[in-house]
Amino acid sequence: HGQFYDLLNIFDLNGVPSESNPYLFNGDFVDRGSFSLEVALTLFCYKLVHPKGCYMTRGNHESRTCNAMYGFEGEVNAKYDQSVMALFCEVFNL
């Protein structure tokens, strides 16, 4: 739920995602925390760099309704703009 420093602590304790150290993230990466955008972007980067080391499923918070209700949309709009939010909605619906 957007807890970026908790994510970094997990990586510090267990190592970063890689083919030899795979992770499965079971959704709800965003909302509630102040750094949801950073969590999502970090996970996307690991997925791009290590596609067989970072697996992600979509949770109910990766939806337009929850994003509007629980704060992710506001965070993205404050840090970027609505066009970036539209891209997140598109990615979350893949």
Side-chain angles (χ1 to χ4, degrees), residues 50-78:
H50 298 290
K52 294 185 178 179
C54 184
Y55 297 92
M56 302 165 64
T57 61
R58 178 181 173 267
N60 66 313
H61 282 264
E62 286 75 47
S63 68
R64 182 177 292 279
T65 303
C66 282
N67 292 165
M69 187 179 308
Y70 293 106
F72 184 61
E73 183 175 6
E75 178 186 346
V76 173
N77 287 334

Side-chain angles (χ1 to χ4, degrees), residues 10-32:
I10 289 168
F11 291 159
D12 188 46
L13 293 171
N14 301 304
V16 298
S18 66
E19 288 189 28
S20 62
N21 189 36
Y23 279 78
L24 170 62
F25 296 96
N26 284 317
D28 293 354
F29 319 120
V30 300
D31 290 329
R32 298 194 181 135

